[in-house]
Amino acid sequence: MSKRRPYVRSMDGWWRKNPFFVEYMIHEGTALFVAAYAGVLLAGLFRLSQGEAAWNAWLAALTNPWYIAFHLAALLALSYHTYTWFKIMPRTMPPVVVGGERLPGWVITAGGLAVAAAACLGLLALVWGMAR
Amino acid sequence: MKAPLKRSNAPIFWALFGAGGMLSALLGPMLVFITGLAVPLGLLLPADTMSYPKMLAFAQNFIGKGFIFAIIALFLWHAAHRIFHSLHDIGIHAGTGAKLLCYGSAMLGTLIAAYALLAIGF
């Protein structure tokens, strides 16, 4: 055993000291809501496979205020995920060259957000059309 | 002679992360709104939007089945990958155990979803 006890700087709460990393941790943290929401859907799917009574029980459980609060938080988290996903996209995808010029990052971000908005509205319209 | 380079399995997990991230970025907020808020609270959509006959018919349809499977499985793989890679940031050493736990739960969820969709029938 070495007798040396070199000083090792603590890394506790390192990300709280810099707003950039706070934002990073929040956008990584949206994954917890994505996972939890997928879990809710998976439970629903499983209940659907068990028959009508099981499905209706799951549907009734969703009206519980705790579930409503969870889904409100999940809506915020997933919207933030959408925003950061496309904000980061210029750096995660290969450069797009249009007419010899590199496409600016904000165009990719704005384009992605516009597509996401269209996809969301399209989904709502589709569900509305199928349900009525 | 040198042994051939071991192929990494990272691209598979990364592709699933990317696909799930894209799908949840495009449709996630509206899905949460529809299934978690609009239907339970009776907002905007017809009251029987997610009634048993409608959801059963949707889950028995090929496109519906594929949609449900893609949403659940890819959301899980996206989250598993992101959580796994964030463990280091919160001071947890991300070893084989953590990898098995993260990707293992995504795999388990995927298998349960596949089982339920097959049990629902066509």
Side-chain angles (χ1 to χ4, degrees), chain A residues 20 23-30 80-95 102 104-106 108-110 112-113, chain B residues 14 17 22 25 78 82:
Chain A
F20 180 86
E23 194 285 326
Y24 169 81
M25 290 306 262
I26 294 172
H27 89 235
E28 293 290 296
T30 60
Y80 191 65
H81 163 66
T82 300
Y83 168 67
T84 54
W85 186 259
F86 292 113
K87 194 179 86 174
I88 296 166
M89 210 176 180
R91 282 175 277 146
T92 53
M93 69 188 279
R102 188 173 166 174
W106 70 266
I108 296 170
T109 301
L113 289 173
Chain B
W14 204 88
F17 162 77
M22 185 55 91
H78 165 79
R82 198 165 234 188

Side-chain angles (χ1 to χ4, degrees), chain B:
Chain B
M1 219 180 101
K2 270 205 295 192
L5 281 174
K6 211 172 140 228
R7 290 190 73 161
S8 165
N9 56 20
I12 299 169
F13 296 124
W14 204 88
L16 286 167
F17 162 77
M22 185 55 91
L23 198 59
S24 54
L26 290 176
L27 300 176
M30 189 50 85
L31 272 174
V32 172
F33 174 74
I34 291 170
T35 70
L37 297 169
V39 169
L41 295 174
L43 306 167
L44 213 63
L45 291 164
D48 65 339
T49 299
M50 282 169 68
S51 66
Y52 182 72
K54 282 198 166 138
M55 286 316 287
L56 188 66
F58 184 65
Q60 283 177 336
N61 178 288
F62 257 112
I63 298 171
K65 249 190 215 323
F67 181 77
I68 295 171
F69 185 69
I71 292 285
I72 293 179
L74 289 176
F75 276 30
L76 284 175
W77 284 100
H78 165 79
H81 182 85
R82 198 165 234 188
I83 292 169
F84 174 63
H85 282 279
S86 294
L87 287 179
H88 174 81
D89 301 331
I90 51 168
I92 299 170
H93 175 68
T96 313
K99 196 167 188 174
L100 278 175
L101 193 67
C102 285
Y103 295 140
S105 2
M107 181 52 98
L108 186 68
T110 304
L111 291 175
I112 294 173
Y115 164 79
L117 283 167
L118 286 175
I120 285 168
F122 293 87

Side-chain angles (χ1 to χ4, degrees), chain A residues 32-113:
Chain A
L32 295 172
F33 283 93
V34 175
Y37 179 62
V40 170
L41 290 184
L42 182 60
L45 175 62
F46 192 73
R47 300 299 266 163
L48 185 68
S49 76
Q50 291 178 321
E52 184 158 11
W55 170 257
N56 285 337
W58 180 77
L59 216 51
L62 290 189
T63 59
N64 183 299
W66 287 104
Y67 263 117
I68 299 292
F70 163 74
H71 281 110
L72 272 175
L75 178 62
L76 281 179
L78 269 88
S79 304
Y80 191 65
H81 163 66
T82 300
Y83 168 67
T84 54
W85 186 259
F86 292 113
K87 194 179 86 174
I88 296 166
M89 210 176 180
R91 282 175 277 146
T92 53
M93 69 188 279
V96 184
V97 178
V98 179
E101 296 262 350
R102 188 173 166 174
L103 202 63
W106 70 266
V107 175
I108 296 170
T109 301
L113 289 173

